[in-house]
Amino acid sequence: MPIENRGREEIDTSTEHTGSDIWEDFVQGYIPEDPIDIHPQLSLHTAYETDVDPVTYEVLRHRLYSINEEHGATLENVSGSPVAYFAQDFNPTILTATGEVVFQGPYIQFFSPIAELQAKWILENRSGNPGIEPGDVFISNDTWVGSTHQPDVFFLAPVFREGELFCWVVNTLHQYDIGGSNAGSFCPGASNVFEEPVPIPPIKVVEGGEVREDLRQMYLRHSRLPQMVGLDFNAQVAGVNVARERINDTIDEYGAETVKGVMHEVLDDAEQKFVRKLEQIPDGTYRGRAYMDGSKTGDTGIYRGEIQIQKEGDTLTFTNENTAPDKDAINCTYAGFRTAIMSVLNPFMMSDAMWVSGGPLRHIEIETTPGTMTHAQWPSGTSNGGTVSVPFVIHLVNNAVNRMLAASENLKRNIITGQNAGGGAVAQAGIDQWGEEFGTMNLDCMSGGIGAAPHRDGVDTGGQYWAPKAPIPNMEHNEQDYPILYLYRSEVPDTGGPGERRGGAGMDYCWKPHKTERIENVFAASGVLAPLSKGISGYPGGNGRFDVVHDSDVEERFAEREVTQDLTELEGDFERLHSKAHDVQRPDDVSVIRNGGTPGYGDPIERDPERVADDIERGLVTEAAANDIYGVVVERDGDEVAVLDDATEARRSEIRERRLAESTIGGEQ
């Protein structure tokens, strides 16, 4: 059926240009209206070829994607930050002139849909003063305009052809420290934004190809490590310059109207594929609920988050009714809520048109309530958004989308029961082994399980499905660069949620300071007190946790040539930290973080007993869990585990009978 292309270059170039209500944007969060209001002095390139031949289309589609990937490689290679070259905590994006996402890279997914808001805000509020010109680059990290949290910094560059704005190239990179009350710029103890890094609305930091040194110096002045952030700054400028040059080369070769025609066709194709999937889903309301633990350091409260998806025809409407009010440091803005949606829909529903968020976004409406923790109002804290609040919304969306897909026999196979249930991030700072100041994120946080599906088990320590190219660093690299010594990394038994298909297992990573007197650790997470991904069937995965043994006997054990593989083996003062915590680690203090597991799918007593035995051999399921949850009885002979068939059949019958006895039928027990 024909599809209305809602996002085409719709503009208002009336002489009564007013831009958006800036102060309303800064309080409520920027929500662009359609069409957006652009100053008449800015001309957009709107002509495009409507019938590009199929061969040229495929050549240019892949070329644009490759340009975006080269943009990402430039960020990785120019930056000296471990956030860039280990975790690839960035994403490059190509946008149309009016901000639709044509291509995003295979890196951190929630960086690209949110870039659309940044570009639209610049068009509305900067096209008149100071203007948008060839060679310009804008910088922004304002969460109320469009960022997940202040450390995620956007560089946006317009691409011009013959005096008209043709498209945008954008990159986002998590920068280690840009100010705030804690080293690393996560501020889990913040009560409001004034205790966090300063939000910077879009400003022109490169003008006509020349870096504005006054603004660059002002920006770096906020950081505890300006040299490292300066390298990131240079890498981001280099990235947009490379992408801009490659796009201009492509236009020189094929013509502006042909390239623009391909961009439109890429978007239309993604839109049509999305709508065809929506046609297979019954109209209705699908819901998700999860609980955030701790509004700030020292708080042990639990805060409810809810999401509703109203599917009607070719439109999904997302709301957040019954969500707790915004509070302290647990919040994300409207922009964070919006971009979390595409972080789920892309891998779940757009595997045949990945990295093209602009098409599906034409059929998504968002009606959130300002003043809630998933649509925060100024001046709520948002500096933990990228590691706590936005992943929290991803869990909510994941839970609701699973229910929606389960209503379609054809789409049920696309279900992923969840992402890892907790673990969050740790920012570290202190004096390194060479006597110099250091700061970093321990990027082991990018591990954790990936959820099960109806047709397969989850992926053990598979990472985040919304960050497909984000690896965890080699331990040796971290030990070389920073004053830490690992004791172990290990997959944790029984953290993968039980089910006919088992969820992916989580991971513990354990370290101590090495050749330093102290390390400041700042922890920011959710899913520590309560699992976030409950799944749609089967059991939830294991939670995350932060543990530390102060004044341990680890050095004495080293002297005896013993390296512990379990924190509980150590003597000392054990402490379990909350999900928002600050801890100073001394030489004999040993810390461990658990990145949680993910839910299973289906009834555990329907799992093939031989697969349970294999899980036991691999150390992913304990014999106790096999007996109690899976109903599988085994015997062990050394490292080999064998299923006792008759005992297993009897045990599973016992579990079924107990369930029937405990069930409530017709209101009676």
Side-chain angles (χ1 to χ4, degrees), residues 359-404:
L361 280 168
R362 294 171 176 175
H363 295 268
I364 291 172
E365 304 290 341
I366 299 171
E367 299 175 1
T368 47
T369 303
T372 54
M373 70 178 184
T374 56
H375 183 167
Q377 288 182 289
W378 178 275
S380 299
T382 60
S383 67
N384 302 291
T387 58
V388 175
S389 312
V390 174
F392 177 79
V393 178
I394 289 174
H395 281 287
L396 291 172
V397 178
N398 192 148
N399 294 339
V401 168
N402 276 343
R403 287 159 175 77
M404 186 174 72

Short mmCIF file of all heavy atoms in Angstrom, two decimals, residues 359-404:
data_model
loop_
_atom_site.label_atom_id
_atom_site.label_comp_id
_atom_site.label_asym_id
_atom_site.label_seq_id
_atom_site.Cartn_x
_atom_site.Cartn_y
_atom_site.Cartn_z
N GLY A 359 13.56 5.96 8.80
CA GLY A 359 12.35 5.37 8.23
C GLY A 359 11.33 4.99 9.30
O GLY A 359 10.18 5.45 9.27
N PRO A 360 11.71 4.14 10.26
CA PRO A 360 10.75 3.78 11.33
C PRO A 360 10.27 4.97 12.14
O PRO A 360 9.11 5.00 12.56
CB PRO A 360 11.56 2.81 12.20
CG PRO A 360 12.59 2.24 11.29
CD PRO A 360 12.94 3.34 10.34
N LEU A 361 11.14 5.97 12.36
CA LEU A 361 10.73 7.10 13.18
C LEU A 361 9.58 7.89 12.57
O LEU A 361 8.90 8.64 13.28
CB LEU A 361 11.93 8.03 13.42
CG LEU A 361 12.90 7.56 14.52
CD1 LEU A 361 14.19 8.38 14.48
CD2 LEU A 361 12.26 7.66 15.89
N ARG A 362 9.32 7.73 11.29
CA ARG A 362 8.16 8.37 10.66
C ARG A 362 6.84 7.81 11.18
O ARG A 362 5.79 8.40 11.00
CB ARG A 362 8.23 8.20 9.14
CG ARG A 362 9.39 8.92 8.48
CD ARG A 362 9.51 8.53 7.01
NE ARG A 362 10.56 9.26 6.33
CZ ARG A 362 10.93 9.04 5.07
NH1 ARG A 362 10.33 8.09 4.37
NH2 ARG A 362 11.90 9.75 4.52
N HIS A 363 6.90 6.65 11.84
CA HIS A 363 5.69 5.98 12.31
C HIS A 363 5.70 5.80 13.83
O HIS A 363 5.07 4.88 14.35
CB HIS A 363 5.54 4.64 11.60
CG HIS A 363 5.31 4.79 10.13
ND1 HIS A 363 4.06 4.86 9.57
CD2 HIS A 363 6.20 4.95 9.10
CE1 HIS A 363 4.17 5.04 8.27
NE2 HIS A 363 5.46 5.10 7.95
N ILE A 364 6.43 6.65 14.51
CA ILE A 364 6.51 6.58 15.97
C ILE A 364 6.08 7.91 16.57
O ILE A 364 6.59 8.97 16.18
CB ILE A 364 7.93 6.20 16.41
CG1 ILE A 364 8.23 4.75 16.02
CG2 ILE A 364 8.11 6.38 17.92
CD1 ILE A 364 9.65 4.33 16.23
N GLU A 365 5.16 7.85 17.50
CA GLU A 365 4.73 9.02 18.26
C GLU A 365 5.12 8.81 19.72
O GLU A 365 5.10 7.68 20.22
CB GLU A 365 3.21 9.21 18.15
CG GLU A 365 2.68 9.31 16.73
CD GLU A 365 3.07 10.61 16.05
OE1 GLU A 365 3.43 11.56 16.77
OE2 GLU A 365 3.01 10.67 14.80
N ILE A 366 5.49 9.90 20.39
CA ILE A 366 5.91 9.82 21.79
C ILE A 366 5.11 10.84 22.58
O ILE A 366 5.10 12.02 22.24
CB ILE A 366 7.42 10.07 21.93
CG1 ILE A 366 8.20 9.01 21.15
CG2 ILE A 366 7.84 10.06 23.41
CD1 ILE A 366 9.67 9.29 21.04
N GLU A 367 4.46 10.37 23.63
CA GLU A 367 3.63 11.24 24.46
C GLU A 367 3.98 11.01 25.93
O GLU A 367 3.21 10.41 26.69
CB GLU A 367 2.14 10.96 24.20
CG GLU A 367 1.72 11.22 22.75
CD GLU A 367 0.28 10.83 22.47
OE1 GLU A 367 -0.40 10.37 23.42
OE2 GLU A 367 -0.15 10.97 21.31
N THR A 368 5.16 11.44 26.31
CA THR A 368 5.63 11.24 27.67
C THR A 368 5.24 12.41 28.56
O THR A 368 4.97 13.52 28.08
CB THR A 368 7.15 11.06 27.70
OG1 THR A 368 7.76 12.08 26.89
CG2 THR A 368 7.55 9.71 27.14
N THR A 369 5.27 12.17 29.86
CA THR A 369 4.88 13.18 30.84
C THR A 369 6.13 13.86 31.39
O THR A 369 6.96 13.19 32.02
CB THR A 369 4.10 12.53 31.99
OG1 THR A 369 2.96 11.85 31.46
CG2 THR A 369 3.67 13.57 33.01
N PRO A 370 6.29 15.16 31.18
CA PRO A 370 7.43 15.87 31.77
C PRO A 370 7.38 15.79 33.29
O PRO A 370 6.31 15.71 33.90
CB PRO A 370 7.25 17.31 31.28
CG PRO A 370 6.36 17.21 30.08
CD PRO A 370 5.45 16.06 30.36
N GLY A 371 8.58 15.79 33.89
CA GLY A 371 8.66 15.71 35.34
C GLY A 371 8.74 14.29 35.86
O GLY A 371 8.61 14.07 37.07
N THR A 372 8.94 13.33 34.97
CA THR A 372 9.12 11.94 35.37
C THR A 372 10.58 11.55 35.14
O THR A 372 11.32 12.23 34.43
CB THR A 372 8.21 11.01 34.55
OG1 THR A 372 8.44 11.26 33.15
CG2 THR A 372 6.76 11.26 34.86
N MET A 373 10.98 10.43 35.73
CA MET A 373 12.40 10.07 35.63
C MET A 373 12.79 9.62 34.22
O MET A 373 13.98 9.54 33.91
CB MET A 373 12.77 9.01 36.65
CG MET A 373 12.22 7.63 36.43
SD MET A 373 12.83 6.52 37.71
CE MET A 373 12.14 4.96 37.16
N THR A 374 11.81 9.37 33.35
CA THR A 374 12.12 9.08 31.95
C THR A 374 11.73 10.22 31.02
O THR A 374 11.76 10.06 29.81
CB THR A 374 11.44 7.77 31.50
OG1 THR A 374 10.03 7.84 31.73
CG2 THR A 374 12.01 6.58 32.26
N HIS A 375 11.39 11.39 31.59
CA HIS A 375 11.25 12.64 30.85
C HIS A 375 11.48 13.77 31.86
O HIS A 375 10.54 14.44 32.29
CB HIS A 375 9.89 12.76 30.18
CG HIS A 375 9.73 14.00 29.35
ND1 HIS A 375 8.70 14.17 28.46
CD2 HIS A 375 10.47 15.14 29.25
CE1 HIS A 375 8.79 15.35 27.87
NE2 HIS A 375 9.86 15.97 28.35
N ALA A 376 12.74 13.93 32.22
CA ALA A 376 13.09 14.83 33.31
C ALA A 376 12.97 16.29 32.91
O ALA A 376 13.23 16.67 31.77
CB ALA A 376 14.52 14.55 33.78
N GLN A 377 12.57 17.10 33.87
CA GLN A 377 12.56 18.55 33.70
C GLN A 377 13.80 19.14 34.36
O GLN A 377 14.34 18.61 35.33
CB GLN A 377 11.31 19.16 34.35
CG GLN A 377 10.02 18.89 33.60
CD GLN A 377 8.85 19.58 34.28
OE1 GLN A 377 8.41 19.20 35.35
NE2 GLN A 377 8.33 20.61 33.64
N TRP A 378 14.25 20.27 33.79
CA TRP A 378 15.32 21.05 34.40
C TRP A 378 14.89 21.44 35.81
O TRP A 378 13.74 21.79 36.03
CB TRP A 378 15.55 22.30 33.55
CG TRP A 378 16.60 23.23 34.07
CD1 TRP A 378 16.43 24.22 34.98
CD2 TRP A 378 17.97 23.26 33.69
NE1 TRP A 378 17.60 24.87 35.20
CE2 TRP A 378 18.58 24.30 34.42
CE3 TRP A 378 18.76 22.52 32.82
CZ2 TRP A 378 19.92 24.61 34.31
CZ3 TRP A 378 20.09 22.84 32.71
CH2 TRP A 378 20.66 23.87 33.44
N PRO A 379 15.78 21.38 36.82
CA PRO A 379 17.21 21.07 36.73
C PRO A 379 17.56 19.69 37.28
O PRO A 379 18.52 19.54 38.05
CB PRO A 379 17.82 22.16 37.60
CG PRO A 379 16.82 22.31 38.73
CD PRO A 379 15.47 22.04 38.12
N SER A 380 16.82 18.65 36.92
CA SER A 380 17.10 17.31 37.42
C SER A 380 18.47 16.83 36.95
O SER A 380 18.96 17.23 35.89
CB SER A 380 16.02 16.34 36.95
OG SER A 380 14.75 16.71 37.43
N GLY A 381 19.06 15.93 37.70
CA GLY A 381 20.34 15.35 37.31
C GLY A 381 20.19 14.38 36.16
O GLY A 381 19.26 13.57 36.14
N THR A 382 21.10 14.44 35.20
CA THR A 382 21.05 13.53 34.04
C THR A 382 22.42 12.95 33.68
O THR A 382 22.54 12.29 32.65
CB THR A 382 20.49 14.27 32.80
OG1 THR A 382 21.32 15.39 32.48
CG2 THR A 382 19.07 14.75 33.04
N SER A 383 23.45 13.19 34.50
CA SER A 383 24.81 12.80 34.09
C SER A 383 25.02 11.29 34.07
O SER A 383 26.01 10.82 33.52
CB SER A 383 25.85 13.44 35.02
OG SER A 383 25.77 12.92 36.32
N ASN A 384 24.11 10.52 34.66
CA ASN A 384 24.21 9.06 34.62
C ASN A 384 23.34 8.45 33.53
O ASN A 384 23.19 7.24 33.46
CB ASN A 384 23.81 8.48 35.98
CG ASN A 384 24.66 9.01 37.10
OD1 ASN A 384 25.84 8.71 37.19
ND2 ASN A 384 24.08 9.84 37.95
N GLY A 385 22.78 9.33 32.67
CA GLY A 385 21.81 8.85 31.68
C GLY A 385 22.33 7.77 30.76
O GLY A 385 21.66 6.78 30.50
N GLY A 386 23.56 7.94 30.24
CA GLY A 386 24.07 6.99 29.26
C GLY A 386 24.39 5.63 29.82
O GLY A 386 24.43 4.65 29.07
N THR A 387 24.61 5.52 31.15
CA THR A 387 24.94 4.24 31.75
C THR A 387 23.84 3.69 32.63
O THR A 387 23.84 2.50 32.94
CB THR A 387 26.22 4.36 32.61
OG1 THR A 387 25.99 5.35 33.61
CG2 THR A 387 27.40 4.75 31.77
N VAL A 388 22.90 4.53 33.04
CA VAL A 388 21.85 4.09 33.96
C VAL A 388 20.47 4.30 33.35
O VAL A 388 19.72 3.35 33.13
CB VAL A 388 21.96 4.84 35.31
CG1 VAL A 388 20.79 4.46 36.21
CG2 VAL A 388 23.28 4.52 36.00
N SER A 389 20.12 5.55 33.07
CA SER A 389 18.73 5.88 32.74
C SER A 389 18.32 5.43 31.35
O SER A 389 17.23 4.87 31.17
CB SER A 389 18.51 7.38 32.89
OG SER A 389 19.03 7.84 34.12
N VAL A 390 19.15 5.68 30.34
CA VAL A 390 18.79 5.25 28.98
C VAL A 390 18.77 3.73 28.89
O VAL A 390 17.81 3.15 28.35
CB VAL A 390 19.72 5.89 27.94
CG1 VAL A 390 19.45 5.33 26.55
CG2 VAL A 390 19.54 7.41 27.93
N PRO A 391 19.79 2.99 29.41
CA PRO A 391 19.65 1.53 29.43
C PRO A 391 18.42 1.06 30.20
O PRO A 391 17.83 0.03 29.85
CB PRO A 391 20.95 1.07 30.11
CG PRO A 391 21.93 2.13 29.75
CD PRO A 391 21.15 3.41 29.81
N PHE A 392 18.02 1.79 31.25
CA PHE A 392 16.80 1.44 31.98
C PHE A 392 15.59 1.52 31.05
O PHE A 392 14.73 0.63 31.03
CB PHE A 392 16.63 2.39 33.17
CG PHE A 392 15.37 2.18 33.97
CD1 PHE A 392 15.28 1.14 34.88
CD2 PHE A 392 14.29 3.02 33.81
CE1 PHE A 392 14.12 0.94 35.63
CE2 PHE A 392 13.12 2.84 34.55
CZ PHE A 392 13.05 1.79 35.46
N VAL A 393 15.51 2.59 30.24
CA VAL A 393 14.40 2.71 29.30
C VAL A 393 14.50 1.61 28.24
O VAL A 393 13.48 1.07 27.80
CB VAL A 393 14.37 4.10 28.65
CG1 VAL A 393 13.24 4.19 27.62
CG2 VAL A 393 14.20 5.19 29.70
N ILE A 394 15.71 1.26 27.82
CA ILE A 394 15.88 0.16 26.87
C ILE A 394 15.27 -1.12 27.43
O ILE A 394 14.60 -1.87 26.72
CB ILE A 394 17.36 -0.03 26.50
CG1 ILE A 394 17.84 1.14 25.63
CG2 ILE A 394 17.58 -1.35 25.78
CD1 ILE A 394 19.32 1.12 25.32
N HIS A 395 15.50 -1.38 28.74
CA HIS A 395 14.86 -2.54 29.37
C HIS A 395 13.34 -2.45 29.26
O HIS A 395 12.68 -3.44 28.92
CB HIS A 395 15.26 -2.62 30.85
CG HIS A 395 16.61 -3.19 31.10
ND1 HIS A 395 16.91 -4.52 30.96
CD2 HIS A 395 17.76 -2.59 31.51
CE1 HIS A 395 18.19 -4.74 31.26
NE2 HIS A 395 18.72 -3.58 31.59
N LEU A 396 12.78 -1.28 29.57
CA LEU A 396 11.33 -1.11 29.50
C LEU A 396 10.81 -1.38 28.09
O LEU A 396 9.83 -2.10 27.89
CB LEU A 396 10.95 0.30 29.93
CG LEU A 396 11.13 0.68 31.40
CD1 LEU A 396 10.89 2.17 31.60
CD2 LEU A 396 10.18 -0.13 32.29
N VAL A 397 11.48 -0.78 27.10
CA VAL A 397 11.06 -0.96 25.71
C VAL A 397 11.20 -2.42 25.32
O VAL A 397 10.32 -3.00 24.67
CB VAL A 397 11.87 -0.05 24.77
CG1 VAL A 397 11.46 -0.28 23.31
CG2 VAL A 397 11.70 1.42 25.14
N ASN A 398 12.32 -3.04 25.70
CA ASN A 398 12.57 -4.46 25.41
C ASN A 398 11.42 -5.31 25.93
O ASN A 398 10.86 -6.17 25.22
CB ASN A 398 13.88 -4.87 26.06
CG ASN A 398 14.41 -6.23 25.62
OD1 ASN A 398 15.61 -6.44 25.56
ND2 ASN A 398 13.54 -7.16 25.33
N ASN A 399 11.02 -5.06 27.19
CA ASN A 399 9.97 -5.87 27.80
C ASN A 399 8.64 -5.70 27.06
O ASN A 399 7.90 -6.68 26.85
CB ASN A 399 9.80 -5.48 29.27
CG ASN A 399 11.02 -5.83 30.11
OD1 ASN A 399 11.82 -6.67 29.73
ND2 ASN A 399 11.16 -5.18 31.25
N ALA A 400 8.31 -4.46 26.66
CA ALA A 400 7.04 -4.22 25.98
C ALA A 400 7.07 -4.72 24.53
O ALA A 400 6.08 -5.30 24.05
CB ALA A 400 6.71 -2.74 26.02
N VAL A 401 8.18 -4.50 23.83
CA VAL A 401 8.27 -4.94 22.43
C VAL A 401 8.20 -6.46 22.35
O VAL A 401 7.61 -7.02 21.41
CB VAL A 401 9.55 -4.40 21.78
CG1 VAL A 401 9.82 -5.08 20.43
CG2 VAL A 401 9.44 -2.89 21.57
N ASN A 402 8.79 -7.17 23.33
CA ASN A 402 8.68 -8.63 23.34
C ASN A 402 7.22 -9.08 23.35
O ASN A 402 6.84 -10.00 22.63
CB ASN A 402 9.39 -9.20 24.57
CG ASN A 402 10.88 -9.37 24.35
OD1 ASN A 402 11.36 -9.37 23.22
ND2 ASN A 402 11.62 -9.53 25.42
N ARG A 403 6.41 -8.42 24.17
CA ARG A 403 4.99 -8.78 24.22
C ARG A 403 4.30 -8.47 22.89
O ARG A 403 3.42 -9.23 22.45
CB ARG A 403 4.33 -8.03 25.37
CG ARG A 403 4.72 -8.59 26.73
CD ARG A 403 4.53 -7.63 27.88
NE ARG A 403 4.82 -8.28 29.14
CZ ARG A 403 6.04 -8.52 29.60
NH1 ARG A 403 7.10 -8.16 28.89
NH2 ARG A 403 6.23 -9.12 30.76
N MET A 404 4.71 -7.39 22.26
CA MET A 404 4.12 -7.03 20.98
C MET A 404 4.49 -8.06 19.92
O MET A 404 3.64 -8.50 19.14
CB MET A 404 4.59 -5.63 20.59
CG MET A 404 3.94 -5.07 19.34
SD MET A 404 4.41 -3.36 19.02
CE MET A 404 6.13 -3.56 18.48
#
